[in-house]
Amino acid sequence: IQCSLKNAGIFLNNIEYLKERGYIYFENQSLVCHEFPQEILLGNYRKVIQLRYDHLDPFLKDALEKASIVGAHFDALTVQNAFHLKMAAQLMKEIEQISRLIFQIDMERFDFGFVNAQAHELIESYIPKEKKDDWNTVLALYYENQLTSSANRLSDTKFCEYSMLAAYCYENTMQADKALQFYVKIIPALMLQDFYRKGLEIIERAKRLLLCQANTSERLRIQLFYWEYQCNFALFDMKRALHAFHSYRQCINLTGIETIRADYCESVILYDANFTNSAYQRIRRCYDLLQNMEVSDREILRLRIQVTTLLCSIEETLLIDSCQAHFNEAATLARTH
C-alpha cells in the first residue's frame, strides 16, 4: 500500500511483482505472504514516481521541487512568498490533479503534503546540489525575515518554529555557524515552554554541527552539556542527566563554593537516580565543608540550607537518626536569616 500511491492499479502490480519473485504464493487455496524485504518494491516505486514527475510541464516541476525544499508538508503561501512563485496554490492543485504526488491537507487552507516520505525524498533528490543549496539559503532568509518583521507580534511558539526552520535550512547548506546561532537561541526558549524533548533534539543537532567546525567553541560545548543535563532532569531521566552533568563538569574548572554547589547538584541527581549511598557520601562532604563558612553571604546561606535539607532527606531514606536534627538546623537557618 505504501508503494502504491493509493492507486489500485499500482497496488495490484505490486502484488503480481511479489508473486513473480516468490514472496507471495498459494497455500491451501489462499495467497500467503509472510514477509519480504522492505526495499524490494522501491525500484518499481521510483519508476512510477519518475514517470509521474516526467509528465509535468517544466514550470510545474520547478514548483514541485521548490515545495520539496520547504518540507514533506508545506504551505503554498510559503512557497509563493519565499520563491516569488505566483499563484502557488493553484499550481499545487494542478500538480495534485496530474501527478497525485501531493495532496491538499485542508480544503479551506493552502496546506499540502507529499503522499509519503519516499515521494518527498525522491522529488528532492532530482534537484541539483547547487540549486538545492541556493534554494535552502533563500528559504532560510525568508524565515529570518519573518522573525525580524514580526518580532513584536510573534508568539514564543512561532519564534521557535521560524528559528528552527531557518536553522534547518542553513544546516542543509552546511552553513554551521548560522545554524548554530539559531539553535543557541531556540534551546532556552523551548525549555521555558517545557518542550524539553524538542530541546534535547536541537541540542543533539547543535553538538553534531560543532564537530564539523574547524574552530570549535568550547564555551558553547559546555553550555550544551548543561542544557542537556537540565532537559533530562526536567524529564526525570536521571541517568542521562547524570551523564550530561559529568560531561559538563569535565569541561570546567571549579573552585571553592562553585565545587560545593556542583556537588550539591550532582547529589540531587544521584539521589533521584536511586544511587542513595553515593548521594549521601557526596552531600555529607558538602555539609562538612560549609560548616566552616560564614552565613553572612546570602549565596552561601542559600546553599547551606539546600545542602542541609537534602542531607536530611537522604538520611531519612537511609534511616539515619540525625535526619531530624538536620531538618531543624535547616529550618532555623531559614527563619533566623
Side-chain angles (χ1 to χ4, degrees), residues 24-73:
I24 294 180
Y25 52 90
F26 278 102
E27 189 176 276
N28 298 328
Q29 298 183 333
S30 298
L31 276 175
V32 179
C33 178
H34 291 297
E35 59 180 279
F36 58 90
Q38 289 293 315
E39 66 277 3
I40 198 73
L41 292 173
L42 284 180
N44 275 358
Y45 185 61
R46 288 192 180 97
K47 289 176 187 174
V48 171
I49 292 176
Q50 181 78 56
L51 282 170
R52 292 185 173 211
Y53 169 80
D54 289 342
H55 281 135
L56 295 172
D57 290 332
F59 68 95
L60 293 178
K61 287 179 183 176
D62 179 74
L64 184 61
E65 288 171 357
K66 285 173 177 170
S68 75
I69 293 294
V70 178
H73 294 91

Side-chain angles (χ1 to χ4, degrees), residues 196-209:
Y196 298 109
R197 294 193 190 283
K198 193 66 181 175
L200 286 170
E201 179 191 315
I202 299 300
I203 288 166
E204 282 306 307
R205 297 182 83 103
K207 282 162 71 174
R208 284 198 299 271
L209 284 178

Side-chain angles (χ1 to χ4, degrees), residues 185-297:
K185 293 176 184 175
I186 297 165
I187 295 164
L190 288 170
M191 291 168 66
L192 281 172
Q193 298 171 74
D194 297 338
F195 295 142
Y196 298 109
R197 294 193 190 283
K198 193 66 181 175
L200 286 170
E201 179 191 315
I202 299 300
I203 288 166
E204 282 306 307
R205 297 182 83 103
K207 282 162 71 174
R208 284 198 299 271
L209 284 178
L210 274 178
L211 293 174
C212 301
Q213 285 193 305
N215 300 315
T216 302
S217 169
E218 185 64 13
R219 185 176 178 181
L220 177 54
R221 196 165 75 92
I222 293 168
Q223 182 65 69
L224 290 172
F225 281 134
Y226 192 77
W227 280 332
E228 186 180 358
Y229 140 66
Q230 288 184 309
C231 286
N232 280 308
F233 188 88
L235 292 167
F236 217 76
D237 190 338
M238 292 304 163
K239 290 186 178 176
R240 283 197 172 92
L242 191 61
H243 182 266
F245 196 76
H246 283 162
S247 299
Y248 162 72
R249 289 198 70 172
Q250 286 171 6
C251 298
I252 54 175
N253 295 315
L254 298 177
T255 57
I257 193 70
E258 294 171 342
T259 305
I260 299 173
R261 188 178 289 112
D263 281 340
Y264 163 73
C265 290
E266 194 164 330
S267 300
V268 173
I269 310 170
L270 286 165
Y271 185 36
D272 287 337
N274 291 324
F275 299 121
T276 313
N277 288 317
S278 297
Y280 175 69
Q281 291 170 10
R282 192 173 291 269
I283 202 67
R284 182 74 216 196
R285 189 161 61 247
C286 293
Y287 175 82
D288 292 339
L289 288 169
L290 284 168
Q291 295 309 298
N292 302 319
M293 295 186 181
E294 290 292 330
V295 294
S296 55
D297 185 291

Side-chain angles (χ1 to χ4, degrees), residues 109-164:
R109 299 172 62 185
F110 299 117
D111 293 336
F112 291 82
F114 283 83
V115 289
N116 53 39
Q118 291 94 335
H120 172 239
E121 289 167 7
L122 282 169
I123 296 300
E124 196 175 4
S125 72
Y126 299 155
I127 309 169
K129 186 183 182 307
E130 189 175 328
K131 187 185 284 188
K132 191 185 294 186
D133 287 348
D134 288 344
W135 286 354
N136 267 298
T137 302
V138 167
L139 194 56
L141 291 170
Y142 168 75
Y143 290 130
E144 274 195 76
N145 186 55
Q146 293 297 106
L147 285 167
T148 53
S149 63
S150 310
N152 298 326
R153 292 177 279 116
L154 282 179
S155 65
D156 291 340
T157 306
K158 271 293 177 188
F159 166 80
C160 288
E161 181 187 338
Y162 284 137
S163 297
M164 275 190 280

